[in-house]
DNA sequence: CACTGCGCACCTG
DNA sequence: CAGGTGCGCAGTG
């Protein structure tokens, strides 16, 4: 968790830079924070990273350079209409809140299809949402990994193996896009990367700038947009083509850092073994009983308390996470409320009722939906998302993907 | 010199 | 067309 003070400083700084029509890049942000608050740039960078991971800030690649967005503002702004158009079918009553989330990732989403290259990730772009929750997962991943500088590596990676290609496309959407040609990828790579090294962008100012404006953004944007509808399909195809991909498709959503997407699925996996999300990150084929324990534990809390109204929810005695998740689609609002009450969030459960979150909505929820859309405190919201919503979604998707593999 | 304000061009939906 | 973004330049302290 980032320090609240820093969160405020950084968000203020980003807002301030934006209002000045200056690019909120790392350098400016650090400088302004230091000037205003005396904070060391290193620390600012660190806090900024945290905010990015918390989706409070979106790291975007815009016009060939890295830029940062106040996720709260991005979400509410651009993506609203898209969500309205794309998501209405599925998000139901939670729309008001979840649409905002749209964030999320929206941003980063963009974060993908949502807005141009900026949101390449943004967190969270909402797809043309059929009812498939995969979208949201991918939205989220798009907000994080997809939006930063990892693009380049992803493109490179995409040239390697089919598995990698689809994998990375599921991640950033780049390589899958029909719009991207090798030449375009080359351009994108060339102009988008050197933001720091300052190469081609500065040699012939006008031309290169024009190139930077048109090509990288264009290609990325197109790719991101196109990928939106392809993501799910790609992920599923991937599951069929490349067994390990299924796993990575599920895990990538967790990868906020640039470059990691260029790792092989196995690398991704092994990387995760040290991560706190390890138990959540592994795919179904790796989810051994022991590894599942944590997931199941959460769900298992229900056993004693859940009433037997929902056919799927209650299976005499113990239920397994995947069973639960599979039946998630059948959960009513009351089931959801009961669940969160049972797992220790009775106060917050009320918010789920207020927002009329049923099982389907739950599957569509993104981090930002939980954090901001329910109007519950951040602490419990994070726990709810990380330990329950995400776990349930993942379990559900594992089931879902198994069907296709 | 750093910072600020803003005209303008560009892009997307 | 509306709205977001940010470059580049002029003004300010």
């Amino acid at each position: 968790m980032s320090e609240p003070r820093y969160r405020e400083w950084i968000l203020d700084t980003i807002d301030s830079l934006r209002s000045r029509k200056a690019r909120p890049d790392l350098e400016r942000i650090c400088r302004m924070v230091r000037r205003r608050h005396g904070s060391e740039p290193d620390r600012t960078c660190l806090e900024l990273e945290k905010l990015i991971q918390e989706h409070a800030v979106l790291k975007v690649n815009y016009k060939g350079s890295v830029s940062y967005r106040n996720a709260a503002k991005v979400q509410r702004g651009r993506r609203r209409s898209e969500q309205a158009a794309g998501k209405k079918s599925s998000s139901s009553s939670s729309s008001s809140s979840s649409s905002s989330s749209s964030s999320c990732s929206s941003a980063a989403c963009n974060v993908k299809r949502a807005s141009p290259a900026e949101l390449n990730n943004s967190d969270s772009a909402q797809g043309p949402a059929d009812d498939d929750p995969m979208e949201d997962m991918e939205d989220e991943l798009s907000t994080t990994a997809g939006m930063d500088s990892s693009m380049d590596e992803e493109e490179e990676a995409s040239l390697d193996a089919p598995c990698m290609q689809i994998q990375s496309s599921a991640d950033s959407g780049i390589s899958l896009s029909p719009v991207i040609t090798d030449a375009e990828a080359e351009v994108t790579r060339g102009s988008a990367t050197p933001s720091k090294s300052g190469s081609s962008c500065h040699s012939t100012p006008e031309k290169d700038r024009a190139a930077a404006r048109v090509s990288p953004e264009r290609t990325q944007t197109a790719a991101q947009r196109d990928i939106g509808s392809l993501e799910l399909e790609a992920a599923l195809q991937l599951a069929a083509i490349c067994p390990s991909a299924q796993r990575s498709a599920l895990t990538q959503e967790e990868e906020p850092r640039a470059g990691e997407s260029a790792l092989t699925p196995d690398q991704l996996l092994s990387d995760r073994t040290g991560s706190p999300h390890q138990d959540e990150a592994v795919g179904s084929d790796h989810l051994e009983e022991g590894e599942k324990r944590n997931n199941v534990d959460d769900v298992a809390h229900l056993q004693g308390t859940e009433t037997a109204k929902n056919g799927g929810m209650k299976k005499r005695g113990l239920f397994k996470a995947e069973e639960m998740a599979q039946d998630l689609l059948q959960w009513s609002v009351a089931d959801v409320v009961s669940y969160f009450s049972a797992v220790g969030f009775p106060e917050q459960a009320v918010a789920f009722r207020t927002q009329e979150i049923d099982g389907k909505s739950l599957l569509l929820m993104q981090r930002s939906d939980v954090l901001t859309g329910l109007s519950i405190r951040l602490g419990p919201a994070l726990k709810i998302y990380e330990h329950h919503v995400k776990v349930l979604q993942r379990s559900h998707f594992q089931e879902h993907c198994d069907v296709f593999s």
Side-chain angles (χ1 to χ4, degrees):
Chain A
M1 259 294 152
S2 62
E3 209 175 307
R5 194 170 45 139
Y6 269 92
R7 173 193 278 272
E8 197 176 324
W9 291 352
I10 291 172
L11 292 177
D12 280 353
T13 299
I14 291 173
D15 291 346
S16 176
L17 286 167
R18 275 295 310 131
S19 70
R20 265 208 283 139
K21 299 181 182 178
R23 181 190 285 270
D25 56 14
L26 190 57
E27 188 185 340
R28 289 190 178 95
I29 291 171
C30 288
R31 191 188 305 160
M32 189 173 276
V33 169
R34 183 173 57 181
R35 188 169 40 80
R36 289 179 170 183
H37 307 103
S39 166
E40 283 305 307
D42 286 352
R43 180 74 198 274
T44 304
C45 290
L46 211 67
E47 295 295 332
L48 185 56
E49 275 302 314
K50 289 183 194 171
L51 289 174
I52 291 168
Q53 298 194 12
E54 291 167 23
H55 294 215
V57 168
L58 305 175
K59 185 179 183 179
V60 303
N61 196 328
Y62 188 72
K63 294 185 180 177
S65 296
V66 173
S67 189
Y68 297 87
R69 301 277 181 276
N70 181 335
K73 307 208 165 173
V74 173
Q75 301 167 356
R76 320 223 171 252
R78 289 202 170 188
R79 321 184 76 188
R80 191 148 286 241
S81 55
E82 305 167 17
Q83 279 154 17
K87 202 131 186 177
K88 56 184 174 233
S89 62
S90 55
S91 58
S92 71
S93 53
S94 65
S95 60
S96 58
S97 54
S98 69
S99 61
S100 62
S101 78
S102 31
S103 80
C104 203
S105 285
S106 97
C109 259
N110 51 169
V111 183
K112 205 180 250 195
R113 150 180 345 124
S115 65
E118 1 173 332
L119 287 190
N120 113 49
N121 101 87
S122 172
D123 138 90
S124 6
Q126 302 290 352
D130 18 327
D131 249 13
D132 203 311
M134 249 340 201
E135 290 260 344
D136 296 79
M137 303 283 280
E138 281 158 5
D139 285 347
E140 184 171 336
L141 73 88
S142 65
T143 14
T144 53
M147 107 177 8
D148 51 29
S149 48
S150 66
M151 313 274 299
D152 310 302
E153 282 109 332
E154 286 164 5
E155 284 166 11
E156 306 248 286
S158 70
L159 302 175
D160 295 334
C163 275
M164 284 307 299
Q165 178 163 1
I166 303 185
Q167 177 203 336
S168 58
S169 64
D171 190 339
S172 69
I174 296 298
S175 55
L176 250 201
S177 167
V179 186
I180 294 276
T181 63
D182 283 353
E184 285 173 318
E186 195 56 48
V187 174
T188 306
R189 216 173 348 222
S191 48
T193 344
S195 56
K196 287 264 159 58
S197 56
S199 49
S200 63
C201 282
H202 300 101
S203 50
T204 47
E206 281 313 314
K207 269 190 179 167
D208 285 329
R209 189 176 162 189
R213 284 196 174 191
V214 177
S215 30
E217 186 178 11
R218 261 238 153 84
T219 52
Q220 288 172 19
T221 309
Q224 289 150 7
R225 239 176 296 130
D226 290 337
I227 205 61
S229 55
L230 294 176
E231 285 173 343
L232 174 56
E233 195 180 339
L236 295 177
Q237 286 175 349
L238 170 61
I241 299 167
C242 175
S244 57
Q246 188 183 122
R247 188 195 323 147
S248 51
L250 287 167
T251 57
Q252 282 171 15
E253 167 237 352
E254 299 252 10
E255 295 297 337
R257 272 178 290 283
E260 291 191 16
S261 53
L263 298 173
T264 67
D266 284 340
Q267 283 173 313
L268 272 174
L269 192 61
S270 57
D271 261 6
R272 293 189 162 279
T273 53
S275 118
H277 297 304
Q278 174 192 357
D279 51 315
E280 304 172 357
V282 276
S284 54
D285 49 340
H286 284 62
L287 256 190
E288 299 305 334
E289 209 52 58
E291 292 173 297
K292 264 188 248 183
R293 208 184 55 237
N294 285 349
N295 296 11
V296 176
D297 279 352
D298 292 331
V299 174
H301 289 304
L302 277 180
Q303 293 169 15
T305 54
E306 191 55 44
T307 55
K309 56 191 156 196
N310 186 316
M313 285 196 68
K314 188 162 186 179
K315 300 209 171 182
R316 68 194 177 311
L318 297 181
F319 10 65
K320 293 184 171 183
E322 60 266 33
E323 288 171 340
M324 296 274 311
Q326 189 173 28
D327 295 318
L328 213 50
L329 289 172
Q330 296 166 25
W331 285 22
S332 64
V333 173
D335 291 328
V336 173
V337 172
S338 300
Y339 173 84
F340 287 106
S341 298
V343 296
F345 299 99
E347 279 183 51
Q348 291 72 26
V350 176
F352 284 84
R353 187 189 303 283
T354 304
Q355 299 297 334
E356 295 177 44
I357 306 295
D358 58 11
K360 284 179 183 163
S361 298
L362 198 61
L363 279 173
L364 292 165
M365 288 190 87
Q366 297 177 295
R367 184 187 171 99
S368 51
D369 293 325
V370 178
L371 266 49
T372 61
L374 295 172
S375 300
I376 58 182
R377 288 190 300 275
L378 191 57
L382 283 165
K383 291 175 195 160
I384 285 171
Y385 178 73
E386 292 294 333
H387 300 318
H388 299 285
V389 175
K390 209 153 89 175
V391 170
L392 290 169
Q393 288 176 341
R394 200 180 307 279
S395 298
H396 176 80
F397 298 141
Q398 283 163 7
E399 284 298 298
H400 189 76
C401 289
D402 285 347
V403 172
F404 292 88
S405 59

